[in-house]
Amino acid sequence: MKVKYNLLHNDKETGARYGTLETNHGTFETPMFMPVGTRATVKMLTPEELYDCKAGIILANTYHLWLKPGEDLIKQAGGVRKFMNYKGPMLTDSGGFQVFSLAKPKDITEEGVHFKSHIDGSKLFLTPELSIQIQNKLDSDIAMSFDECPPFPVDHDYMKKSVDRTLRWAKRGYDTHSNQEQSLFGIVQGGEFADLRKYSAEETVKMNFDGYSIGGTSVGEDKETMLKMIENSTPYLPTDKVRYLMGVGEPMDIIEGVIRGVDIFDCVLPTRIARHGNAFTRHGKINLKNLKFREDFTPLDEECDCYTCKNYTRAYIRHLVTTDEALGGRLLSIHNIRFLIKLTEELREAIKTDKLLEYKDKFKSKYEGSNS
RNA sequence: GCCUCAAUAGCUCAGCUGGUUAGAGCACUUGACUGUUAAUCAAGGGGUCCUAGGUUCAAAUCCCAGUUGAGGCG
């Protein structure tokens, strides 16, 4: 079956959405943060640890799994969820972000995108059809359209051409999509241009996808521009389909996204900064490598209910991080993922009680106050 | 007792045919990270070049004496 979004409540002041998304492998509440498991693993964590973090859905990447181990092996294993022993809902990204991170402008053609493999430098060619075919075989619950994710900034002329090409690619992917058990989402682009966001959203919605996402954010633009990108997109999306903001994961960005009508977020930030020794806390981001945590025998965050905070101290985690022990990255990853998911839980509660703006103000003053 | 070799950043070492402000890796102290090319990247602090003389316009570098260490010979 296709995913089904149920809108259960709008925050009275902001219109922010509380709802649920039904999938073939479970129903979860939104807003929700989706941890990133690019290569069929949320780096350093087991599926059980993700369940403990209350992850509603996780993400894997078409591009990376195409190269290794190959989509046919994963199909043989019974799909990516079975392959990695993850029992909950899963979304696959299309490889569109790799157009941004790996390809050069001249590599992007109407037919598809020429890549140089980041593994061995060999020449690759990814098309909208191929991306969808790979995702059909990966058998995720939700497949993403193959889009161009342009860098920031590009001029209006380039962005218009890019948006039109992404629309044609979306249509090609839609026509290729054959896995009836899998949903397919369209992606809104248009950069910081309000007219192109509107145009991209309206044209994408006409194709009647199972859900919609906002792409082209977190590619180097400033915060204010990113928020404009969102608020220039969500008004044109249908209220009865889920909305997913791609690549956004700073706590304040998630809150601002929810206020603007977003339901799902994904981001590598919690897991990446964890491997680099950092943790989100109510009082801002902290770097456990800092000397000031040497004798700090308190948890990362007093109010956190994660496995790490219930059992370990900052001093111990600092020891693990400074001695390059893998457990440090694991404990921090568990905490950071749980932190963002708990944030979305609290946002859901705030929406249900129509107190989202009040919640935002409280969170913000703590988070952007003095670090400790 | 004699001979040889060594001594430069916290550690391991480059530099030694004299010539800008003595370097590197690691460690240390910080910072960055937003649909993962990332357990990564960047910056910063840190020196009696063993000590004392000498040669020279100029010495980590050459000469002399000493100190400490390693090895060898008695």
Side-chain angles (χ1 to χ4, degrees), chain A residues 17-282:
Chain A
R17 294 144 56 92
Y18 164 69
T20 58
L21 191 71
E22 297 175 34
T23 80
N24 287 325
H25 300 100
T27 299
F28 61 89
E29 295 175 289
T30 63
M32 175 58 76
F33 175 76
M34 172 166 63
V36 177
T38 303
R39 296 192 287 200
T41 168
V42 174
K43 291 184 194 291
M44 299 186 147
L45 302 191
T46 62
E48 284 69 23
E49 288 162 337
L50 293 167
Y51 308 147
D52 288 345
C53 289
K54 310 267 170 42
I57 180 170
I58 66 170
L59 173 153
N61 194 293
T62 300
Y63 167 81
H64 300 261
L65 296 176
W66 175 42
L67 298 191
K68 267 186 180 179
E71 66 278 18
D72 289 325
L73 183 83
I74 290 177
K75 187 179 168 70
Q76 195 185 332
V80 61
R81 295 175 53 269
K82 188 118 185 283
F83 186 48
M84 68 180 283
N85 187 38
Y86 185 75
K87 306 222 164 32
M90 179 175 302
L91 176 151
T92 41
D93 192 16
S94 62
F97 188 72
Q98 281 63 47
V99 177
F100 162 75
S101 63
L102 295 176
K104 298 177 191 108
K106 66 177 173 59
D107 301 328
I108 303 166
T109 68
E110 182 62 27
E111 182 56 26
V113 181
H114 294 271
F115 289 101
K116 259 175 106 173
S117 161
H118 71 281
I119 298 170
D120 61 7
S122 60
K123 287 179 186 169
L124 304 168
F125 188 55
L126 190 57
T127 65
E129 289 83 1
L130 182 54
S131 172
I132 296 299
Q133 285 159 2
I134 295 168
Q135 294 185 76
N136 281 173
K137 288 184 185 172
L138 296 177
D139 200 27
S140 52
D141 294 286
I142 300 168
M144 297 302 302
S145 292
F146 184 67
D147 63 331
E148 178 188 356
C149 180
F152 178 86
V154 299
D155 61 40
H156 189 278
D157 185 54
Y158 182 94
M159 189 58 81
K160 173 70 166 66
K161 286 179 177 139
S162 172
V163 165
D164 279 325
R165 183 164 49 208
T166 287
L167 288 168
R168 290 189 295 272
W169 286 1
K171 178 72 167 58
R172 283 162 57 186
Y174 189 96
D175 292 341
T176 302
H177 192 253
S178 63
N179 184 337
Q180 289 311 309
E181 290 302 301
Q182 184 182 55
S183 299
L184 180 62
F185 282 17
I187 303 176
V188 177
Q189 288 288 349
E192 78 274 33
F193 306 107
D195 61 323
L196 294 181
R197 282 283 168 186
K198 178 172 189 281
Y199 170 70
S200 173
E202 288 175 344
E203 293 302 311
T204 305
V205 168
K206 280 181 192 167
M207 285 180 240
N208 195 29
F209 285 100
D210 304 307
Y212 296 94
S213 69
I214 300 161
T217 53
S218 56
V219 289
E221 78 282 7
D222 54 277
K223 298 263 180 204
E224 202 179 323
T225 302
M226 186 178 76
L227 297 185
K228 285 221 174 75
M229 290 173 168
I230 302 167
E231 64 203 33
N232 287 330
S233 303
T234 46
Y236 312 107
L237 298 176
T239 56
D240 63 341
K241 297 277 176 71
V242 77
R243 295 114 173 242
Y244 156 37
L245 176 60
M246 310 184 83
V248 170
E250 290 271 12
M252 281 313 301
D253 295 344
I254 290 177
I255 294 173
E256 296 292 356
V258 166
I259 286 171
R260 287 160 178 77
V262 173
D263 305 309
I264 299 175
F265 302 80
D266 83 286
C267 193
V268 302
L269 211 51
T271 43
R272 182 183 292 170
I273 67 171
R275 294 192 306 281
H276 297 169
N278 295 58
F280 291 124
T281 79
R282 300 262 156 191

Side-chain angles (χ1 to χ4, degrees), chain A residues 293-351:
Chain A
F293 300 119
R294 211 181 97 85
E295 299 173 50
D296 187 339
F297 300 106
T298 65
L300 293 173
D301 187 329
E302 295 280 2
E303 296 175 54
C304 183
D305 60 2
C306 82
Y307 168 76
T308 303
C309 288
K310 280 192 287 195
N311 295 286
Y312 300 95
T313 65
R314 293 174 170 190
Y316 179 62
I317 295 167
R318 173 181 149 81
H319 161 68
L320 294 177
V321 166
T322 56
T323 51
D324 209 25
E325 285 290 343
L327 183 59
R330 275 173 45 67
L331 293 177
L332 285 167
S333 293
I334 289 170
H335 167 77
N336 285 343
I337 285 175
R338 177 60 194 150
F339 182 89
L340 293 184
I341 291 171
K342 187 148 193 294
L343 171 64
T344 58
E345 286 173 6
E346 291 170 5
L347 291 169
R348 297 199 287 266
E349 205 51 43
I351 294 168

